Coordinates of all heavy atoms in Angstrom, one line a residue:
G1 N 100.0 75.6 166.1 CA 100.7 75.4 167.3 C 102.2 75.8 167.1 O 102.6 76.3 166.1
Q2 N 103.0 75.4 168.1 CA 104.4 75.8 168.1 C 105.2 74.9 167.1 O 106.2 75.4 166.5 CB 105.0 75.6 169.5 CG 104.5 76.6 170.5 CD 105.1 76.3 171.9 OE1 105.6 75.2 172.1 NE2 105.0 77.3 172.7
L3 N 104.8 73.7 166.9 CA 105.5 72.8 165.9 C 105.5 73.4 164.5 O 106.5 73.4 163.8 CB 104.9 71.4 165.9 CG 105.7 70.3 165.2 CD1 107.1 70.3 165.8 CD2 105.0 69.0 165.4
E4 N 104.4 73.9 164.1 CA 104.3 74.5 162.8 C 105.2 75.7 162.6 O 105.6 76.1 161.5 CB 102.8 74.9 162.4 CG 101.9 73.7 162.1 CD 101.4 73.1 163.5 OE1 101.5 73.7 164.5 OE2 100.9 71.9 163.4
E5 N 105.4 76.4 163.7 CA 106.3 77.6 163.7 C 107.8 77.2 163.5 O 108.6 78.0 163.0 CB 106.1 78.4 165.0 CG 104.8 79.0 165.1 CD 104.5 79.6 166.5 OE1 105.5 79.8 167.2 OE2 103.4 79.9 166.8
I6 N 108.1 76.0 163.9 CA 109.5 75.5 163.9 C 109.8 74.8 162.6 O 110.9 75.0 162.1 CB 109.8 74.6 165.2 CG1 109.6 75.4 166.4 CG2 111.2 74.0 165.1 CD1 109.6 74.5 167.7
L7 N 108.9 73.9 162.2 CA 109.2 73.1 161.0 C 108.9 73.8 159.7 O 107.9 74.6 159.6 CB 108.3 71.8 161.1 CG 108.6 70.9 162.2 CD1 107.6 69.7 162.2 CD2 110.0 70.3 162.2
T8 N 109.7 73.6 158.7 CA 109.5 74.2 157.4 C 109.1 73.1 156.5 O 109.7 72.0 156.4 CB 110.9 74.7 156.9 OG1 111.3 75.7 157.8 CG2 110.7 75.3 155.5
P9 N 108.0 73.3 155.7 CA 107.5 72.3 154.8 C 108.7 72.1 153.7 O 109.3 73.0 153.3 CB 106.3 73.0 154.1 CG 105.9 74.0 155.0 CD 107.1 74.5 155.8
V10 N 108.9 70.8 153.4 CA 110.0 70.4 152.5 C 109.9 71.1 151.2 O 110.9 71.5 150.6 CB 110.1 68.9 152.4 CG1 109.0 68.3 151.5 CG2 111.4 68.5 151.8
D11 N 108.7 71.4 150.6 CA 108.7 72.0 149.3 C 109.1 73.4 149.3 O 109.5 74.0 148.3 CB 107.2 71.9 148.7 CG 106.2 72.6 149.5 OD1 106.3 72.6 150.8 OD2 105.2 73.0 149.0
R12 N 109.1 74.1 150.5 CA 109.6 75.5 150.6 C 111.1 75.5 150.2 O 111.6 76.6 149.8 CB 109.3 76.0 151.9 CG 109.4 77.5 151.9 CD 108.9 78.2 153.2 NE 107.5 77.9 153.4 CZ 107.0 78.0 154.6 NH1 107.7 78.4 155.6 NH2 105.7 77.8 154.8
L13 N 111.8 74.5 150.5 CA 113.2 74.4 150.2 C 113.5 74.5 148.7 O 114.6 74.8 148.2 CB 113.9 73.2 150.8 CG 113.8 73.0 152.3 CD1 114.2 71.6 152.7 CD2 114.5 74.1 153.0
F14 N 112.5 74.2 147.9 CA 112.6 74.2 146.4 C 111.8 75.3 145.7 O 111.4 75.1 144.6 CB 112.2 72.8 145.9 CG 113.0 71.6 146.5 CD1 112.4 70.9 147.5 CD2 114.3 71.4 146.2 CE1 113.1 69.8 148.1 CE2 115.0 70.4 146.7 CZ 114.4 69.6 147.7
S15 N 111.5 76.3 146.5 CA 110.6 77.3 145.9 C 111.1 78.1 144.7 O 110.4 78.7 144.0 CB 110.2 78.3 147.0 OG 111.4 79.0 147.5
Q16 N 112.4 77.9 144.5 CA 113.0 78.6 143.3 C 112.6 77.8 142.0 O 112.8 78.4 140.9 CB 114.5 78.7 143.4 CG 115.3 77.4 143.3 CD 115.5 76.6 144.6 OE1 114.7 76.8 145.5 NE2 116.5 75.8 144.7
Y17 N 112.1 76.6 142.1 CA 111.7 75.8 140.9 C 110.3 76.1 140.6 O 109.5 76.3 141.4 CB 111.9 74.3 141.2 CG 113.3 73.9 141.5 CD1 113.5 72.9 142.4 CD2 114.4 74.5 141.0 CE1 114.8 72.5 142.7 CE2 115.7 74.1 141.3 CZ 115.9 73.1 142.2 OH 117.2 72.7 142.5
P18 N 110.0 76.1 139.2 CA 108.6 76.3 138.8 C 107.7 75.2 139.4 O 108.1 74.0 139.7 CB 108.6 76.1 137.3 CG 110.0 76.4 136.9 CD 110.9 75.9 138.1
L19 N 106.4 75.5 139.6 CA 105.5 74.6 140.3 C 104.5 74.1 139.2 O 103.9 74.9 138.5 CB 104.7 75.4 141.3 CG 103.6 74.7 142.1 CD1 103.4 75.4 143.5 CD2 102.3 74.5 141.4
F20 N 104.4 72.8 139.1 CA 103.4 72.1 138.2 C 102.5 71.1 139.1 O 103.0 70.6 140.0 CB 104.0 71.4 137.1 CG 104.8 72.3 136.2 CD1 106.1 71.9 135.8 CD2 104.3 73.4 135.7 CE1 106.8 72.7 134.9 CE2 105.0 74.2 134.8 CZ 106.3 73.9 134.4
Q21 N 101.3 71.0 138.6 CA 100.4 70.1 139.3 C 100.0 69.0 138.3 O 99.7 69.3 137.2 CB 99.2 70.8 139.8 CG 98.3 70.0 140.8 CD 97.3 70.9 141.5 OE1 97.1 72.0 141.2 NE2 96.8 70.3 142.6
A22 N 100.0 67.7 138.8 CA 99.6 66.6 138.0 C 98.0 66.6 137.9 O 97.4 67.0 138.9 CB 100.0 65.3 138.6
V23 N 97.5 66.2 136.8 CA 96.1 66.0 136.6 C 95.7 64.8 137.3 O 96.5 63.9 137.5 CB 95.7 66.0 135.1 CG1 96.0 67.3 134.4 CG2 96.3 64.8 134.4
S24 N 94.4 64.7 137.7 CA 94.0 63.6 138.5 C 94.1 62.2 137.8 O 94.4 61.2 138.4 CB 92.5 63.7 139.0 OG 91.7 63.9 137.8
E25 N 94.1 62.2 136.5 CA 94.3 61.0 135.7 C 95.7 60.4 135.8 O 95.9 59.2 135.6 CB 93.9 61.2 134.2 CG 92.5 61.5 134.0 CD 92.1 63.0 134.2 OE1 93.0 63.8 134.3 OE2 90.9 63.2 134.3
A26 N 96.7 61.3 136.2 CA 98.1 60.8 136.3 C 98.5 60.5 137.7 O 99.6 60.2 138.0 CB 99.0 61.9 135.8
E27 N 97.5 60.5 138.7 CA 97.8 60.3 140.1 C 98.5 59.0 140.4 O 99.5 59.0 141.1 CB 96.5 60.3 140.9 CG 96.6 60.5 142.3 CD 97.0 61.9 142.7 OE1 96.7 62.8 142.0 OE2 97.6 62.1 143.8
K28 N 98.1 57.9 139.8 CA 98.8 56.6 140.1 C 100.2 56.6 139.6 O 101.1 56.1 140.2 CB 98.0 55.5 139.5 CG 96.9 54.9 140.4 CD 97.6 54.2 141.6 CE 96.5 53.5 142.4 NZ 96.8 53.5 143.8
R29 N 100.4 57.2 138.4 CA 101.7 57.2 137.8 C 102.6 58.1 138.7 O 103.8 57.7 138.9 CB 101.6 57.8 136.4 CG 100.9 56.8 135.4 CD 100.7 57.4 134.0 NE 101.8 58.1 133.4 CZ 102.8 57.5 132.9 NH1 103.0 56.2 133.0 NH2 103.8 58.2 132.4
L30 N 102.1 59.2 139.2 CA 102.9 60.1 140.0 C 103.2 59.3 141.3 O 104.4 59.4 141.8 CB 102.1 61.3 140.3 CG 102.8 62.4 141.3 CD1 104.1 62.9 140.7 CD2 101.8 63.5 141.5
E31 N 102.3 58.7 142.0 CA 102.5 58.0 143.2 C 103.6 56.9 143.1 O 104.3 56.6 144.0 CB 101.2 57.4 143.7 CG 100.2 58.4 144.3 CD 98.9 57.8 144.7 OE1 98.8 56.5 144.6 OE2 98.0 58.6 145.1
N32 N 103.6 56.3 141.9 CA 104.6 55.2 141.7 C 105.9 55.7 141.2 O 106.8 55.0 140.9 CB 104.0 54.2 140.7 CG 102.9 53.4 141.3 OD1 102.9 53.1 142.4 ND2 101.9 53.1 140.5
G33 N 106.1 57.0 141.0 CA 107.4 57.6 140.6 C 107.7 57.4 139.1 O 108.8 57.4 138.7
N34 N 106.6 57.3 138.3 CA 106.8 57.2 136.9 C 107.0 58.5 136.2 O 106.6 59.5 136.7 CB 105.6 56.5 136.3 CG 105.4 55.1 136.7 OD1 106.4 54.3 136.6 ND2 104.2 54.7 137.2
P35 N 107.7 58.5 135.0 CA 107.8 59.7 134.2 C 106.4 60.2 133.8 O 105.5 59.3 133.6 CB 108.6 59.3 133.0 CG 109.4 58.1 133.5 CD 108.5 57.4 134.4
L36 N 106.2 61.5 133.7 CA 104.9 62.0 133.3 C 105.0 62.8 132.0 O 106.0 63.5 131.7 CB 104.5 63.0 134.4 CG 104.3 62.4 135.8 CD1 104.0 63.5 136.8 CD2 103.2 61.4 135.8
L37 N 104.0 62.7 131.2 CA 103.9 63.4 129.9 C 103.5 64.9 130.3 O 102.9 65.2 131.3 CB 102.8 62.9 129.1 CG 103.0 61.5 128.5 CD1 101.7 60.9 128.0 CD2 104.1 61.5 127.4
C38 N 103.9 65.8 129.4 CA 103.5 67.2 129.5 C 102.0 67.3 129.7 O 101.5 68.2 130.5 CB 104.0 68.0 128.4 SG 105.8 68.2 128.3
E39 N 101.2 66.5 129.0 CA 99.8 66.6 129.0 C 99.2 66.2 130.4 O 98.1 66.4 130.7 CB 99.1 65.8 127.9 CG 99.5 66.2 126.5 CD 100.9 65.8 126.1 OE1 101.4 64.7 126.5 OE2 101.5 66.5 125.3
E40 N 100.0 65.5 131.2 CA 99.6 65.0 132.5 C 99.9 66.1 133.6 O 99.6 65.8 134.8 CB 100.3 63.7 132.9 CG 99.9 62.6 131.9 CD 100.6 61.3 132.2 OE1 101.9 61.3 132.3 OE2 100.0 60.3 132.4
L41 N 100.4 67.2 133.2 CA 100.7 68.3 134.1 C 99.9 69.5 133.7 O 99.7 69.8 132.5 CB 102.2 68.6 134.2 CG 103.1 67.4 134.6 CD1 104.5 67.8 134.4 CD2 102.8 67.0 136.0
T42 N 99.5 70.4 134.7 CA 98.9 71.6 134.3 C 99.9 72.7 133.9 O 101.0 72.7 134.5 CB 98.1 72.1 135.5 OG1 98.9 72.3 136.6 CG2 97.0 71.1 135.9
E43 N 99.5 73.5 132.9 CA 100.3 74.7 132.6 C 101.7 74.4 132.2 O 102.6 75.1 132.6 CB 100.2 75.7 133.7 CG 98.7 76.1 134.0 CD 98.7 77.1 135.1 OE1 99.6 78.0 135.2 OE2 97.7 77.1 135.8
V44 N 102.0 73.4 131.4 CA 103.3 73.1 130.9 C 103.4 73.3 129.4 O 103.2 72.4 128.7 CB 103.8 71.7 131.3 CG1 105.2 71.4 130.9 CG2 103.6 71.4 132.8
K45 N 103.7 74.5 129.0 CA 103.9 74.8 127.6 C 104.8 76.0 127.4 O 104.5 77.0 127.9 CB 102.5 75.1 127.0 CG 101.7 73.9 126.9 CD 100.2 74.2 126.7 CE 99.3 73.0 126.7 NZ 98.9 72.5 127.9
P46 N 105.9 75.8 126.8 CA 106.6 74.6 126.5 C 107.3 73.9 127.7 O 107.2 74.5 128.8 CB 107.7 75.0 125.5 CG 108.1 76.4 126.0 CD 106.7 77.0 126.5
P47 N 107.9 72.7 127.6 CA 108.5 72.1 128.7 C 109.6 72.9 129.4 O 110.4 73.5 128.6 CB 109.0 70.8 128.1 CG 108.3 70.6 126.9 CD 108.0 71.9 126.4
E48 N 109.7 72.9 130.7 CA 110.8 73.5 131.4 C 111.9 72.5 131.3 O 111.7 71.3 131.4 CB 110.4 73.7 132.9 CG 109.4 74.8 133.1 CD 110.0 76.2 133.0 OE1 111.3 76.3 133.2 OE2 109.3 77.1 132.7
H49 N 113.2 73.0 131.2 CA 114.3 72.0 131.1 C 115.1 71.9 132.4 O 115.9 71.1 132.5 CB 115.2 72.4 129.9 CG 114.4 72.1 128.6 ND1 114.2 70.8 128.1 CD2 113.8 72.9 127.7 CE1 113.6 70.9 127.0 NE2 113.3 72.2 126.7
G50 N 114.7 72.7 133.4 CA 115.4 72.6 134.7 C 114.5 71.8 135.6 O 113.4 71.4 135.2
P51 N 114.9 71.7 136.9 CA 114.0 71.0 137.9 C 112.7 71.7 138.1 O 112.7 73.0 138.0 CB 114.9 71.1 139.1 CG 116.3 71.4 138.7 CD 116.1 72.2 137.4
V52 N 111.7 71.0 138.3 CA 110.4 71.6 138.7 C 109.8 70.8 139.9 O 110.1 69.7 140.1 CB 109.4 71.4 137.5 CG1 109.9 72.2 136.3 CG2 109.1 70.0 137.1
R53 N 108.9 71.6 140.6 CA 108.2 70.9 141.7 C 106.9 70.3 141.2 O 106.2 71.0 140.4 CB 107.9 72.0 142.8 CG 109.0 72.5 143.5 CD 108.6 73.6 144.5 NE 108.2 74.8 143.7 CZ 107.4 75.7 144.2 NH1 106.8 75.6 145.4 NH2 107.1 76.8 143.4
I54 N 106.7 69.1 141.5 CA 105.4 68.4 141.1 C 104.5 68.2 142.3 O 105.0 67.6 143.3 CB 105.7 67.1 140.4 CG1 106.6 67.3 139.2 CG2 104.4 66.4 140.0 CD1 106.0 68.0 138.0
Y55 N 103.3 68.6 142.2 CA 102.3 68.4 143.2 C 101.2 67.5 142.7 O 100.9 67.5 141.5 CB 101.6 69.7 143.6 CG 102.6 70.6 144.4 CD1 103.6 71.3 143.7 CD2 102.5 70.7 145.8 CE1 104.5 72.1 144.4 CE2 103.4 71.5 146.5 CZ 104.4 72.2 145.8 OH 105.3 73.0 146.4
A56 N 100.6 66.7 143.6 CA 99.5 65.8 143.2 C 98.3 66.7 142.9 O 98.2 67.9 143.3 CB 99.2 64.9 144.3
A57 N 97.2 66.1 142.3 CA 96.0 66.9 142.0 C 95.4 67.5 143.2 O 94.7 68.6 143.1 CB 95.0 66.0 141.3
D58 N 95.6 66.9 144.4 CA 95.0 67.4 145.6 C 95.8 68.4 146.3 O 95.5 68.9 147.4 CB 94.6 66.3 146.6 CG 95.8 65.5 147.1 OD1 97.0 65.9 146.8 OD2 95.6 64.5 147.8
G59 N 97.0 68.8 145.7 CA 97.9 69.8 146.3 C 99.0 69.3 147.1 O 99.8 70.2 147.6
R60 N 99.2 68.0 147.3 CA 100.3 67.5 148.1 C 101.6 67.6 147.3 O 101.6 67.2 146.1 CB 100.0 66.1 148.5 CG 99.0 65.8 149.5 CD 98.7 64.4 149.8 NE 98.1 63.7 148.6 CZ 98.7 62.8 147.9 NH1 99.9 62.2 148.3 NH2 98.1 62.2 146.9
F61 N 102.7 68.0 147.9 CA 104.0 68.0 147.2 C 104.4 66.6 147.0 O 104.4 65.8 147.9 CB 105.0 68.8 148.1 CG 106.4 68.8 147.5 CD1 106.6 69.3 146.3 CD2 107.4 68.3 148.2 CE1 107.9 69.3 145.8 CE2 108.7 68.3 147.7 CZ 109.0 68.8 146.5
S62 N 104.8 66.3 145.8 CA 105.2 64.9 145.5 C 106.7 64.7 145.2 O 107.3 63.7 145.6 CB 104.4 64.4 144.3 OG 103.1 64.3 144.6
G63 N 107.3 65.7 144.6 CA 108.7 65.6 144.4 C 109.3 66.6 143.3 O 108.6 67.5 142.9
I64 N 110.5 66.4 143.0 CA 111.2 67.1 142.0 C 111.4 66.3 140.8 O 111.8 65.2 140.8 CB 112.6 67.6 142.5 CG1 112.5 68.3 143.8 CG2 113.4 68.4 141.5 CD1 111.8 69.6 143.7
Y65 N 111.0 66.9 139.6 CA 111.1 66.2 138.3 C 111.9 67.1 137.4 O 112.1 68.3 137.7 CB 109.7 66.0 137.7 CG 109.0 64.8 138.1 CD1 108.7 64.5 139.5 CD2 108.5 63.8 137.2 CE1 108.0 63.4 139.8 CE2 107.8 62.7 137.5 CZ 107.6 62.4 138.8 OH 106.9 61.3 139.2
Q66 N 112.4 66.5 136.3 CA 113.1 67.2 135.3 C 112.8 66.7 134.0 O 112.6 65.5 133.8 CB 114.6 67.2 135.5 CG 115.4 68.1 134.6 CD 116.8 68.5 135.2 OE1 117.1 68.1 136.3 NE2 117.5 69.2 134.5
Y67 N 112.6 67.6 133.0 CA 112.2 67.2 131.7 C 113.3 66.4 131.0 O 114.5 66.9 131.0 CB 111.8 68.4 130.8 CG 111.2 68.0 129.5 CD1 109.9 67.4 129.4 CD2 111.9 68.2 128.3 CE1 109.4 67.0 128.2 CE2 111.4 67.8 127.1 CZ 110.1 67.3 127.1 OH 109.6 66.9 125.9
D68 N 113.0 65.3 130.4 CA 114.0 64.5 129.6 C 113.6 64.6 128.1 O 112.6 63.9 127.8 CB 114.0 63.1 130.1 CG 115.1 62.2 129.4 OD1 115.6 62.6 128.3 OD2 115.4 61.2 130.0
P69 N 114.3 65.3 127.3 CA 113.9 65.5 125.9 C 113.9 64.2 125.1 O 113.2 64.0 124.1 CB 114.8 66.5 125.3 CG 115.9 66.6 126.3 CD 115.4 66.2 127.6
K70 N 114.8 63.2 125.5 CA 114.9 62.0 124.8 C 113.6 61.2 124.9 O 113.3 60.5 123.9 CB 116.0 61.1 125.4 CG 117.4 61.7 125.2 CD 118.4 60.8 125.9 CE 119.8 61.5 125.8 NZ 120.8 60.8 126.7
I71 N 112.9 61.2 126.0 CA 111.7 60.4 126.1 C 110.5 61.4 126.1 O 109.3 60.9 126.2 CB 111.7 59.5 127.4 CG1 111.8 60.4 128.6 CG2 112.7 58.5 127.3 CD1 111.5 59.6 129.9
Q72 N 110.7 62.7 126.0 CA 109.7 63.7 126.0 C 108.7 63.6 127.2 O 107.5 63.7 127.0 CB 108.9 63.7 124.7 CG 109.8 64.0 123.5 CD 109.1 64.0 122.2 OE1 107.9 63.6 122.1 NE2 109.8 64.5 121.2
R73 N 109.3 63.4 128.3 CA 108.5 63.3 129.6 C 109.3 63.9 130.7 O 110.5 64.1 130.6 CB 108.3 61.8 130.0 CG 107.4 61.2 129.0 CD 107.3 59.7 129.2 NE 106.8 59.1 128.0 CZ 105.7 58.3 127.9 NH1 105.2 57.9 129.0 NH2 105.3 57.9 126.8
Y74 N 108.6 64.2 131.8 CA 109.2 64.6 133.0 C 109.6 63.4 133.8 O 108.8 62.5 134.1 CB 108.3 65.6 133.9 CG 108.3 66.9 133.3 CD1 107.4 67.3 132.3 CD2 109.2 67.9 133.8 CE1 107.4 68.6 131.8 CE2 109.2 69.2 133.3 CZ 108.3 69.5 132.3 OH 108.3 70.8 131.8
R75 N 110.9 63.3 134.2 CA 111.4 62.2 135.0 C 111.6 62.6 136.4 O 112.1 63.7 136.7 CB 112.7 61.8 134.4 CG 113.0 60.4 134.2 CD 114.4 60.2 133.6 NE 114.4 59.9 132.2 CZ 114.4 58.6 131.8 NH1 114.5 57.6 132.7 NH2 114.4 58.3 130.6
P76 N 111.3 61.7 137.4 CA 111.5 62.0 138.8 C 113.0 62.1 139.1 O 113.8 61.3 138.6 CB 110.9 60.9 139.6 CG 110.8 59.7 138.6 CD 110.7 60.3 137.2
V77 N 113.4 63.1 139.8 CA 114.7 63.3 140.4 C 114.7 62.9 141.8 O 115.6 62.1 142.2 CB 115.2 64.8 140.2 CG1 116.5 65.0 140.9 CG2 115.2 65.2 138.8
K78 N 113.8 63.3 142.6 CA 113.6 63.0 144.0 C 112.2 63.0 144.4 O 111.5 64.0 144.1 CB 114.4 64.0 144.9 CG 114.4 63.7 146.3 CD 115.1 62.5 146.7 CE 115.1 62.2 148.2 NZ 115.6 60.9 148.6
M79 N 111.7 61.9 144.9 CA 110.3 61.8 145.4 C 110.2 62.1 146.9 O 111.1 61.7 147.7 CB 109.7 60.5 145.0 CG 109.7 60.1 143.6 SD 108.7 61.3 142.5 CE 107.1 60.9 143.1
F80 N 109.1 62.8 147.3 CA 108.9 63.1 148.7 C 107.5 62.7 149.0 O 106.6 63.5 149.4 CB 109.0 64.6 149.0 CG 110.4 65.1 148.8 CD1 110.8 65.6 147.6 CD2 111.3 65.0 149.8 CE1 112.1 66.1 147.4 CE2 112.6 65.5 149.7 CZ 113.0 66.0 148.4
L81 N 107.2 61.4 149.0 CA 105.8 60.9 149.2 C 105.7 60.4 150.7 O 106.5 60.0 151.3 CB 105.5 59.8 148.3 CG 105.5 60.1 146.8 CD1 105.3 58.9 145.9 CD2 104.5 61.2 146.5

């Protein structure tokens, strides 16, 4: 309808960032805004050091994360749940 023509999905604003998807086993951790291990994300080798878009296993946009080498995990920057 007309509403979809007017509204822009929030993740489109961050399309310049790489896209990663969480594995289903990490779903609860993602929903709670916890840091995620590289192994909990698809296709992350080696870690990206800038912002990345994180999607849930079912394809929903969850937020912007950034890799923190001190804890060797992706940390949430901004969640969009």
Side-chain angles (χ1 to χ4, degrees):
Q2 292 179 345
L3 192 56
E4 289 82 16
E5 295 172 13
I6 297 170
L7 297 177
T8 301
V10 70
D11 63 328
R12 196 171 300 159
L13 301 171
F14 304 104
S15 61
Q16 71 273 24
Y17 301 145
L19 181 157
F20 297 133
Q21 191 165 13
V23 296
S24 57
E25 295 81 13
E27 195 75 25
K28 273 291 187 211
R29 293 173 45 71
L30 178 62
E31 288 175 3
N32 290 325
N34 291 308
L36 300 173
L37 294 166
C38 291
E39 297 80 28
E40 295 176 308
L41 301 171
T42 58
E43 302 179 34
V44 182
K45 292 165 180 83
E48 290 282 334
H49 291 286
V52 298
R53 293 176 289 156
I54 302 290
Y55 290 78
D58 65 5
R60 289 177 292 118
F61 177 59
S62 296
I64 303 297
Y65 273 59
Q66 189 156 357
Y67 188 73
D68 183 342
K70 291 178 190 171
I71 63 170
Q72 297 182 351
R73 294 168 196 234
Y74 281 88
R75 225 182 249 268
V77 174
K78 179 70 177 169
M79 299 299 294
F80 295 94
L81 300 174

